[in-house]
Amino acid sequence: MRRPGLRAVVGVLTLLLLPLFGPSSTAAAKPLTDPVSTALPIAYHADMAVDAVHRRLYIADIVTGSVLVTDFDGRLLKTLKNKPGAADLVLSPDSRTLYVALSGGDAIAAVDTGTYREKARYATGDGTAPLRLALAGDTLWFSYGSDWDSNIGSLVLSGARPAVRLGLVPWGTWAGPPMLLSSPSAPGVVIAGEQYSSSANVTVYDVSSGDPVVRTSQDNPGGVGSVVDLALSPDAATLFIVGGYPYHHLAFRLDDLSVVHTYPTTNYPNAAAVSVTGEVAAGIDNSYGQDVYLFQSGADTPSRVIDLEPGTGRWLRAHGLIWSPDGTRLFALTGEYGANLTLHVIPA
């Protein structure tokens, strides 16, 4: 009898072992049919970012100074340590670099998303404590400081030596480092929202010149108090500004910050996210009851309402919603005082 050659044996073994050790991207691409919940080893979070290229979710924890990495099915893959005061996350357009605001390290870290190694750490100045980030073109904008000694700075990434500039808006403009937001769909624009004062200001800056120039600004737009979340529609024409009051979610025209739609939810709004298809996820702080309302764009009634952890007393984290880039999964974080967080992956 003729014995099988080595090539044939290797071929058979490859076919047998492929389901076990094949590319993880194949498994990750399978449709999610049921919600998945994962207990996380942190009790706090400051921001999340999604990576379409590597199918990863990044979660920053300012308390432990770390960034958790999960796949799109909620499995914890890695913890990036030595990120003191990890407060905000921004991905480069090609998803090769994750920028982390290090509020406890007076710096911004640049992490290679392929190797998870830190390839650069840009000092922002002693005592700056950068808190929020926004990327517009080749410039990272960051809010920094504390109390009324807060401002906005920039880190220009182009050129042989990245350069930091500080104090780019009048001192006293912000009660604390504002929340920042940008989008490739609105080039040359950075949005800032007051987090530390009830007379919350929202300002849209034109940064195309390299300096922030006020395009439009409004105190308490729509009656919103201190800002806890900001979100943009895919075309960047509509801005969601979220505060604990009023007891509904408001959509604003980015150009002039006028209200264009009211999404009926309840008290107390604390998160918003808009998918690539325009589906609106509106989150509320509710210990016992529904946490997330899903709306089609412009709808007056929700298409779905979700109670993430019924009867547990745990609530949705502020700024705790984000969609996968393809809009097929909604990621949500829940927690309670002193207890570790739970990550929920919800199929659209």
Side-chain angles (χ1 to χ4, degrees):
M1 179 181 293
R2 183 181 176 185
R3 296 182 179 179
L6 178 60
R7 184 177 299 175
V9 171
V10 171
V12 171
L13 287 174
T14 300
L15 290 173
L16 291 173
L17 296 175
L18 187 59
L20 296 176
F21 301 100
S24 60
S25 60
T26 301
K30 290 180 180 178
L32 188 71
T33 56
D34 297 306
V36 174
S37 298
T38 303
L40 299 178
I42 55 173
Y44 185 84
H45 101 288
D47 193 32
M48 293 188 286
V50 286
D51 179 348
V53 173
H54 302 94
R55 297 182 64 81
R56 298 290 182 258
L57 171 70
Y58 306 100
I59 306 170
D61 178 18
I62 198 171
V63 175
T64 62
S66 63
V67 178
L68 303 187
V69 185
T70 80
D71 64 16
F72 277 10
D73 291 328
R75 290 183 289 260
L76 183 60
L77 303 177
K78 194 170 182 65
T79 300
L80 311 183
K81 299 180 179 180
N82 188 28
K83 303 292 181 283
D88 213 27
L89 305 171
V90 168
L91 272 169
S92 62
D94 60 9
S95 290
R96 292 183 177 180
T97 305
L98 177 70
Y99 296 101
V100 187
L102 305 180
S103 62
D106 295 334
I108 297 171
V111 176
D112 187 311
T113 54
T115 64
Y116 300 130
R117 293 176 182 171
E118 189 173 304
K119 54 187 179 182
R121 184 171 289 199
Y122 306 105
T124 53
D126 291 345
T128 49
L131 192 71
R132 295 295 185 184
L133 299 175
L135 181 63
D138 62 1
T139 301
L140 265 177
W141 299 86
F142 60 92
S143 60
Y144 67 94
S146 61
D147 299 328
W148 286 101
D149 192 24
S150 300
N151 212 297
I152 293 175
S154 68
L155 169 63
V156 180
L157 298 167
S158 60
R161 184 172 296 180
V164 170
R165 300 173 63 213
L166 299 175
L168 300 182
V169 301
W171 291 98
T173 299
W174 300 102
M179 182 171 286
L180 300 180
L181 181 65
S182 62
S183 168
S185 298
V189 170
V190 169
I191 304 154
E194 179 62 74
Q195 304 178 91
Y196 297 95
S197 172
S198 59
S199 57
N201 174 271
V202 175
T203 296
V204 180
Y205 290 106
D206 184 333
V207 298
S208 56
S209 68
D211 291 302
V213 177
V214 176
R215 176 183 287 184
T216 185
S217 183
Q218 193 172 142
D219 289 333
N220 299 108
V224 174
S226 55
V227 176
V228 295
D229 207 3
L230 296 170
L232 277 169
S233 61
D235 61 2
T238 304
L239 173 67
F240 288 78
I241 305 172
V242 182
Y245 182 86
Y247 298 153
H248 44 246
H249 283 67
L250 293 170
F252 298 80
R253 183 179 292 109
L254 181 63
D255 287 343
D256 59 9
L257 297 181
S258 60
V259 175
V260 294
H261 193 71
T262 299
Y263 290 89
T265 52
T266 186
N267 52 307
Y268 301 94
N270 71 346
V274 189
S275 78
V276 69
T277 62
E279 188 169 9
V280 177
I284 62 169
D285 181 345
N286 188 2
S287 300
Y288 291 95
Q290 290 131 342
D291 304 285
V292 181
Y293 293 70
L294 297 179
F295 295 89
Q296 296 304 311
S297 179
D300 293 321
T301 56
S303 57
R304 185 178 173 195
V305 182
I306 302 168
D307 188 348
L308 292 170
E309 296 193 61
T312 65
R314 294 167 65 87
W315 59 87
L316 178 73
R317 290 274 307 168
H319 190 52
L321 292 174
I322 194 168
W323 287 96
S324 64
D326 62 2
T328 62
R329 289 163 165 81
L330 176 65
F331 303 102
L333 291 175
T334 56
E336 60 183 323
Y337 295 118
N340 285 356
L341 305 181
T342 300
L343 169 64
H344 304 270
V345 185
I346 305 158

